[in-house]
Amino acid sequence: QVQLVESGGGLVQEGGSLRLSCTPSLRTPSSYTFGWFRQAPGKEREFLAAITGSRATRYADSVKGRFTVSRVNAKTPVDLQMNSLTAEDTAVYFCAAKASGSDVFGYWGQGTQVTVSS
């Protein structure tokens, strides 16, 4: 069973930075791909970034250059460093995981709230 726990959300001022972490359960295969998503009130869930088991990364255009997804190794959390935050980044942020080769993120964390004050 893959379980994901997000942490690091909170309140930050515009222009500030925040670092989110996603800690997978110990039995999560190292080959899994992890993604970060967010959902703002009244909006659909939005893909932000992903990192594969070999630590290849990809980003949504909306966050490229501001957000960085990283993971030191298979035993450490998956982090999302967020810089130059604006009020539009206010949302619940979710970590997700999928098996290598799968098209669908089948495992989700509970989400963590990020609020950017203007």
Side-chain angles (χ1 to χ4, degrees):
Q1 182 80 10
V2 175
Q3 294 181 325
L4 307 171
V5 178
E6 302 100 333
S7 61
L11 176 65
V12 63
Q13 290 187 334
E14 274 198 329
S17 299
L18 210 58
R19 189 176 188 91
L20 306 181
S21 289
C22 172
T23 301
S25 49
L26 291 177
R27 295 184 178 181
T28 304
S30 61
S31 60
Y32 272 32
T33 292
F34 292 87
W36 282 99
F37 296 75
R38 69 184 177 190
Q39 188 166 20
K43 295 188 177 181
E44 293 187 353
R45 187 168 293 185
E46 174 189 14
F47 167 79
L48 302 175
I51 185 167
T52 68
S54 58
R55 292 195 284 285
T57 59
R58 63 184 177 97
Y59 297 92
D61 289 342
S62 59
V63 302
K64 199 174 295 184
R66 294 194 304 128
F67 290 11
T68 303
V69 60
S70 64
R71 191 181 194 191
V72 175
N73 58 54
K75 296 183 179 181
T76 61
V78 179
D79 292 336
L80 184 68
Q81 177 67 39
M82 306 185 293
N83 299 327
S84 303
L85 290 165
T86 72
E88 292 186 349
D89 294 313
T90 294
V92 178
Y93 284 68
F94 297 89
C95 174
K98 63 177 181 175
S100 176
S102 173
D103 293 331
V104 178
F105 284 92
Y107 303 96
W108 292 82
Q110 80 287 351
T112 185
Q113 176 70 46
V114 172
T115 302
V116 184
S117 63
S118 57

